[in-house]
Amino acid sequence: MKSNLTQINSSSALVFNNPELFIEGWYWAIRSQDLKVGEVKPVTLQGRNLALYRGKDGNAIALDAYCPHMGAHLAEGKVEGNNIRCFFHHWEFNSSGNCVDIPCLGKALPVKLKTWHTAEKYGMVWVWTGDTPKQPLPFVPELENEECDFAFGSHFFKNCHPNVVMINAIDAHHFNTVHNFPIEIVFRKEELNENAITFSNTTRGGDESLLMKLILPFYKNEGTYSMCYWYGSTGTVTLGPDFLHFYIMFALRLVEGGKTEGQTILITKKRPGLFGWSFNRLILWLTLMVGNYFAKGDTKVFQTIKFNLKTPTKADQSIIQFIQHYEQQKPLVWGTWENPSTRRGEEAGVVYSACSS
């Protein structure tokens, strides 16, 4: 334990809490319901300006925002079938970004806009920030193969980096100091793949507490609390008694100044029939109440914190493990989505080596 705590902290990390870098992966762009067929919307994602439109076939298309002719923003344009036409001089581009028509020439030119892979899940349009998706969309591990119902919680901004917001959910000691939870929480980590890691509670206790005496009969073993992180910026919380788990997704993205924009999504397994639909509305409402309870105590911290983990303790083990996992993923530059410079990559290799030793 001692070596893990001393090998890496927030001052030695190169990517974690860095306002200029983020991890290649899937990031939420817009609510699906806010992009109707025939609509085009401007979206700034991880510092890059995009135009998102939904063609006649219903597919969401993401492409770089500016027309290669004179730089007009394509979100000012018009969707025609499955194509987008620039407002300024009516250059037309298909869903692959290829120019297919220039009215003043009566033909197209061999010009191509950069397009980005999109997918839809949990009511959101997601964009992959690299060339080819290497991992799946973020999902709740317990619901991986289930059809789900969902509802939107809060859309919020925080005055700190998404990484700092994310690690709050595995800050074991703050459950005691901020939320007055009467047990010592210890997490077990499991890496699902190079871009996903889970932290699950392994402890049971607090029998002297009235609260724990009331809720422990609903747990056969340790209390269910699990956090799954995707690309370091999207997390799913699973908690609740054995007979009913609540699922909350926090989809975050890095905005200018190293700050956070986030969307909360409430999730539950789809249940059949009218009764199932009505029951799920209740479950999603209860999920919102549970999420609000845990969020209200932390909100003010995120507005003033200047995160710097100089003196990690044993209770910070899971945070250290998260940072190590995060540092081993592929970074991109905020705004350009390019790979960092060779020099920065060489420096990162030193930290990655230390993390894995």
Side-chain angles (χ1 to χ4, degrees), residues 148-151 241-247 266-288:
C148 296
D149 277 344
F150 61 87
D242 294 341
F243 65 88
L244 180 63
H245 286 174
F246 300 103
Y247 309 99
L266 318 169
I267 303 168
T268 191
K269 179 177 69 174
K270 185 179 285 291
R271 295 172 174 85
L274 179 60
F275 174 79
W277 182 90
S278 301
F279 182 72
N280 276 4
R281 304 285 77 73
L282 174 61
I283 295 302
L284 292 172
W285 178 81
L286 289 173
T287 305
L288 177 63

Side-chain angles (χ1 to χ4, degrees), residues 35-38 53-61 81-82 120 125:
L35 189 67
K36 298 179 175 57
V37 171
Y53 73 92
R54 193 180 297 281
K56 184 179 179 180
D57 61 6
N59 292 326
I61 307 299
N82 294 320
E120 298 190 57
V125 178

